[in-house]
Amino acid sequence: MLGSHASADTVELVRHTLRATNPKGFMQAVRCSTEDHAPPFGAGLTMPLLMIQGEDDRIMPAGANASLLAKAVPQARLTMLDGCGHLPEVEMPIRVNDLVREFLAARGSRA
C-alpha cells in the first residue's frame, strides 16, 4: 500500500488504520471500483481537476485510473510522486498540501 520512501512512522500509522478497517466495507469499495457498468471514466467532467498519484501505487496504478481520467478530462492535471504508494496525503502530506495550494492559487488568479 505504501511507497518505497514511506517512513517507519507512516508504516505504523497505516497499520493501525488498517486494523480498524471493516473488511466487508473495504471489499465493497474494491468491487465498486472494478465494475464494468459504470459510466465512461470522467464522462462529462469539465472543471479543473488536480490528481496526485503515487508512482509506487500498486492498489490502483495510474494506468488503471488517474492516467485514464487525465486523458478524459480536458482541464485535468496529473502529478506523479516518486517513491509514494497509494496514500500520498499520508506519505507525503507537505508535498500534497503544496500541490493543492499551488493548484488553488492558480485557479484563484483566473477568477
Side-chain angles (χ1 to χ4, degrees):
M1 182 172 283
L2 298 173
S4 58
H5 295 197
S7 70
D9 287 342
T10 300
V11 171
E12 185 51 37
L13 174 67
V14 170
R15 282 185 180 147
H16 176 75
T17 303
L18 287 175
R19 285 191 291 269
T21 300
N22 179 320
K24 289 173 102 177
F26 178 79
M27 290 311 296
Q28 181 180 359
V30 169
R31 278 192 303 277
C32 287
S33 68
T34 59
E35 291 179 354
D36 290 333
H37 65 273
F41 208 52
L45 297 179
T46 59
M47 75 291 279
L49 179 63
L50 172 64
M51 293 176 289
I52 303 169
Q53 174 93 29
E55 294 236 357
D56 294 351
D57 188 342
R58 293 178 301 276
I59 306 275
M60 289 296 281
N65 65 39
S67 295
L68 299 173
L69 190 55
K71 290 176 187 171
V73 178
Q75 293 192 64
R77 175 179 151 202
L78 173 58
T79 299
M80 301 295 295
L81 300 180
D82 183 45
C84 186
H86 185 65
L87 302 170
E89 69 282 3
V90 174
E91 296 178 61
M92 300 181 173
I94 294 170
R95 180 71 179 123
V96 169
N97 286 341
D98 288 345
L99 289 166
V100 171
R101 251 187 238 99
E102 292 167 12
F103 181 78
L104 293 175
R107 304 282 93 40
S109 66
R110 295 179 187 164

